[in-house]
Amino acid sequence: MDYDVKDIKLAEQGKLSVEWAYKSMPVLTLIRKRFAKEKPLKGLRLGACLHVTTETASLMETLKAGGAEVRLCASNPLSTQDYVAAYLVKYHDIPVYAIKGEDTETYYRHIASVLDMKPHMTMDDGADLVSMIHSKRKDLIKGILGGTEETTTGVIRLRAMAKSGVLRFPIIAVNDAQTKYMFDNRYGTGQSTLDGIIRATNRLVAGSVFVICGYGWCSRGLAMRAHGLGANVVVTEIDPLKALEAVMDGYRVMPIAEAAEIGDFFCTLTGNIDVIRREHFVRMKDGAIVSNSGHFNVELDLEGLKGVTRKTRMLREFVEEFTLRSGRRVYVLGEGRLINLAAAEGHPSSVMDMSFANQALSAEYLAKNVKSLKKQVYAVPQDIDREIARLKLAAMGVRIDALTPEQDKYLHSWEMGT
Ligand code: ADE
C-alpha cells in the first residue's frame, strides 16, 4: 500500500491516543456502529483533506466502517499528528499522506496522491481538494458525486465558486450546521487557541492586553476564554454588527492601527488576508506575541514583517523572534499557521464529535441524495443537525422538557389569545 508518513513505528502511540479521543466521541461512535451494519458508503471512494488528528482518525474509521475506501492528506502543513498518520496506515490500511512540517511542495504532492484514487466524494477542511480538482485535475470532475467542507474559510471559497458558476459538483457546508459552528468554532477554537498560545510561550495571560482580530464564532470563543483567564480583551472588526456585539459583550473595540500599540498578545481569526500588516507590526510594543487561528497563514503579512526586520531566530519551538530595524522584537508563533493545531492538538474530541458526526452523516446524505443535488453549496439538513444535538445531550446524560399539547398548539396557531 502506498502512503507517506513520518515514521510507521509511531503507530502504537497513535493507537493509545485515538483510544483516548474515542472516549469523548459518543455520537460518532454510535454512527460508526450503525455504519458498520448498514454500509451506506459501500463502493464509494472518498478522498479527505483534513487535519490529521486523533479525532480525524475516528472519522476515517467511521467512513471505512460505512463501506468507503478512504485516503487522507493534511489540510495544513503543521497540523499533522505523526503518530495518528502512522496508526491509520498500520491498523486500518488507510493510505495517509501527511507529515508534520512538510514543505509546500510536499503538501501539494500529498493532495495529488489523494486525488490519484479518483474519488467519488471529497471531504475538505479549507477547500484545497476542490480547488485542485477545479484547476489542475478537471479530468476527475465527471466521476465526483459531491463533497463536504469543514471550515468557515472553505465555505467562503466554495460559495464564491458557486456564485461565479464555476463549481462543478454539490458541496455540503458542514461548517454551517449549528451543531458545528456553535460548539467547534466557539468552544473548540476558544480553548484550543489559548492552549496553543500557552504551550508555545508559557506566558501568563492574566493582566495582558489580548487583541483579537475579527468577531465571528471562533473569535467570540477566544475572547470569552481570554477574558476568563484575566486578559483585557480588545477586538478589531470591519463589520459594524459584530463590532457592536463585541462592545456589548464587554470588550474594547478599536481599529487595528490603534490596537497594535497596546497589545501584548495578538491573534487573527478573520478568514481574510493581511489583517495585521507591516504598518501594524512596526507600531507594536517590544515583545508583542502574534499568532493566527484562522484557517490560512495569509492573515498575517509576514512578508511585510520580514521587510522591516533586521534579524530572526527561533527562540523556542513555535516561537520565532523578529528583531525590527527599530530594535523592537515581535514574536510570531507557529509560522503564523493555525496555532491551535501547530502548537497544541486542535479542538478537544468532545466538540469534534459533533463536527465529525455532521461530516459522516453528510457523506451518507450525499450518497443517498446525489440525484437531486445541483452544483451548489448546501446546508446540512436540519433533521441531521437536530439529531446530533439530541444524541449529544443523551450521551451527556442531560434530559430536556417536551412541549405540552397546549404549548404545541399555541406555537402553531395564530387564533389563540395572548
Ligand atoms: N480542527 C480543529 N481541531 C481539530 C481536530 N482536533 N481534529 C481535526 N480537525 C480540527
mmCIF file of all heavy atoms in Angstrom, residues 13 92 101 105 133 142 204 251 305 315 368 398 416-417:
data_model
loop_
_atom_site.group_PDB
_atom_site.id
_atom_site.type_symbol
_atom_site.label_atom_id
_atom_site.label_comp_id
_atom_site.label_asym_id
_atom_site.label_seq_id
_atom_site.Cartn_x
_atom_site.Cartn_y
_atom_site.Cartn_z
ATOM 1 N N GLN A 13 1.775 4.556 19.639
ATOM 2 C CA GLN A 13 1.403 5.780 20.359
ATOM 3 C C GLN A 13 0.086 6.333 19.807
ATOM 4 O O GLN A 13 -0.796 6.774 20.557
ATOM 5 C CB GLN A 13 2.524 6.811 20.189
ATOM 6 C CG GLN A 13 2.349 8.046 21.053
ATOM 7 C CD GLN A 13 3.370 9.143 20.675
ATOM 8 O OE1 GLN A 13 4.316 8.902 19.902
ATOM 9 N NE2 GLN A 13 3.174 10.312 21.216
ATOM 10 N N HIS A 92 -5.379 0.354 10.120
ATOM 11 C CA HIS A 92 -6.613 0.410 9.318
ATOM 12 C C HIS A 92 -6.376 0.349 7.816
ATOM 13 O O HIS A 92 -7.336 0.525 7.048
ATOM 14 C CB HIS A 92 -7.419 1.657 9.691
ATOM 15 C CG HIS A 92 -7.957 1.581 11.080
ATOM 16 N ND1 HIS A 92 -9.077 0.867 11.416
ATOM 17 C CD2 HIS A 92 -7.454 2.068 12.229
ATOM 18 C CE1 HIS A 92 -9.272 0.935 12.707
ATOM 19 N NE2 HIS A 92 -8.301 1.653 13.243
ATOM 20 N N GLY A 101 5.103 19.450 9.415
ATOM 21 C CA GLY A 101 6.229 20.284 8.990
ATOM 22 C C GLY A 101 6.578 20.116 7.519
ATOM 23 O O GLY A 101 7.587 20.664 7.063
ATOM 24 N N GLU A 105 5.729 22.109 -1.329
ATOM 25 C CA GLU A 105 5.715 21.182 -2.467
ATOM 26 C C GLU A 105 5.169 19.808 -2.026
ATOM 27 O O GLU A 105 4.327 19.203 -2.703
ATOM 28 C CB GLU A 105 7.148 21.051 -2.992
ATOM 29 C CG GLU A 105 7.223 20.336 -4.300
ATOM 30 C CD GLU A 105 8.598 19.729 -4.511
ATOM 31 O OE1 GLU A 105 9.604 20.364 -4.150
ATOM 32 O OE2 GLU A 105 8.639 18.585 -5.026
ATOM 33 N N ILE A 133 -8.960 20.134 -7.805
ATOM 34 C CA ILE A 133 -9.755 19.435 -8.830
ATOM 35 C C ILE A 133 -10.208 20.419 -9.914
ATOM 36 O O ILE A 133 -10.133 20.138 -11.107
ATOM 37 C CB ILE A 133 -10.974 18.737 -8.180
ATOM 38 C CG1 ILE A 133 -10.504 17.569 -7.310
ATOM 39 C CG2 ILE A 133 -11.983 18.277 -9.234
ATOM 40 C CD1 ILE A 133 -11.559 17.008 -6.381
ATOM 41 N N LYS A 142 -15.994 14.424 -13.673
ATOM 42 C CA LYS A 142 -17.141 13.600 -14.114
ATOM 43 C C LYS A 142 -17.431 12.440 -13.161
ATOM 44 O O LYS A 142 -18.561 11.978 -13.061
ATOM 45 C CB LYS A 142 -16.946 13.107 -15.559
ATOM 46 C CG LYS A 142 -15.677 12.329 -15.790
ATOM 47 C CD LYS A 142 -15.578 11.926 -17.245
ATOM 48 C CE LYS A 142 -14.314 11.159 -17.558
ATOM 49 N NZ LYS A 142 -13.063 11.760 -17.039
ATOM 50 N N LEU A 204 1.996 34.217 30.922
ATOM 51 C CA LEU A 204 0.771 34.452 31.698
ATOM 52 C C LEU A 204 -0.187 35.326 30.889
ATOM 53 O O LEU A 204 0.222 36.353 30.338
ATOM 54 C CB LEU A 204 1.128 35.164 33.018
ATOM 55 C CG LEU A 204 -0.031 35.368 33.980
ATOM 56 C CD1 LEU A 204 -0.484 34.033 34.588
ATOM 57 C CD2 LEU A 204 0.359 36.327 35.103
ATOM 58 N N TYR A 251 -16.150 44.131 25.591
ATOM 59 C CA TYR A 251 -14.759 44.286 25.166
ATOM 60 C C TYR A 251 -14.532 45.670 24.575
ATOM 61 O O TYR A 251 -15.473 46.311 24.092
ATOM 62 C CB TYR A 251 -14.398 43.214 24.123
ATOM 63 C CG TYR A 251 -14.733 41.817 24.588
ATOM 64 C CD1 TYR A 251 -15.609 41.002 23.875
ATOM 65 C CD2 TYR A 251 -14.202 41.325 25.783
ATOM 66 C CE1 TYR A 251 -15.941 39.722 24.330
ATOM 67 C CE2 TYR A 251 -14.524 40.052 26.238
ATOM 68 C CZ TYR A 251 -15.395 39.259 25.513
ATOM 69 O OH TYR A 251 -15.721 38.013 25.970
ATOM 70 N N LEU A 305 6.386 41.939 7.356
ATOM 71 C CA LEU A 305 7.163 41.934 8.608
ATOM 72 C C LEU A 305 8.642 41.707 8.287
ATOM 73 O O LEU A 305 9.521 42.408 8.813
ATOM 74 C CB LEU A 305 6.631 40.840 9.545
ATOM 75 C CG LEU A 305 7.438 40.602 10.823
ATOM 76 C CD1 LEU A 305 7.488 41.864 11.689
ATOM 77 C CD2 LEU A 305 6.835 39.444 11.644
ATOM 78 N N LEU A 315 13.471 31.063 18.971
ATOM 79 C CA LEU A 315 13.809 31.199 20.385
ATOM 80 C C LEU A 315 13.444 29.940 21.160
ATOM 81 O O LEU A 315 14.109 29.547 22.113
ATOM 82 C CB LEU A 315 13.058 32.399 20.952
ATOM 83 C CG LEU A 315 13.769 33.111 22.066
ATOM 84 C CD1 LEU A 315 15.104 33.644 21.576
ATOM 85 C CD2 LEU A 315 12.908 34.238 22.576
ATOM 86 N N LYS A 368 -26.938 9.236 -0.675
ATOM 87 C CA LYS A 368 -28.345 8.859 -0.905
ATOM 88 C C LYS A 368 -29.086 9.826 -1.814
ATOM 89 O O LYS A 368 -30.071 9.461 -2.440
ATOM 90 C CB LYS A 368 -29.081 8.824 0.443
ATOM 91 C CG LYS A 368 -28.733 7.597 1.274
ATOM 92 C CD LYS A 368 -29.723 7.401 2.391
ATOM 93 C CE LYS A 368 -29.377 6.148 3.163
ATOM 94 N NZ LYS A 368 -29.553 6.321 4.611
ATOM 95 N N VAL A 398 -28.004 14.524 29.809
ATOM 96 C CA VAL A 398 -28.824 15.724 30.050
ATOM 97 C C VAL A 398 -30.204 15.500 29.452
ATOM 98 O O VAL A 398 -30.327 15.164 28.270
ATOM 99 C CB VAL A 398 -28.170 16.970 29.402
ATOM 100 C CG1 VAL A 398 -29.054 18.197 29.600
ATOM 101 C CG2 VAL A 398 -26.784 17.205 29.975
ATOM 102 N N MET A 416 -55.227 31.665 18.858
ATOM 103 C CA MET A 416 -55.274 31.638 20.328
ATOM 104 C C MET A 416 -54.877 32.988 20.905
ATOM 105 O O MET A 416 -53.976 33.643 20.397
ATOM 106 C CB MET A 416 -54.351 30.545 20.865
ATOM 107 C CG MET A 416 -54.959 29.168 20.789
ATOM 108 S SD MET A 416 -53.785 27.908 21.315
ATOM 109 C CE MET A 416 -53.993 27.997 23.090
ATOM 110 N N GLY A 417 -55.526 33.362 21.999
ATOM 111 C CA GLY A 417 -55.290 34.679 22.609
ATOM 112 C C GLY A 417 -53.924 34.765 23.279
ATOM 113 O O GLY A 417 -53.245 33.763 23.464
#
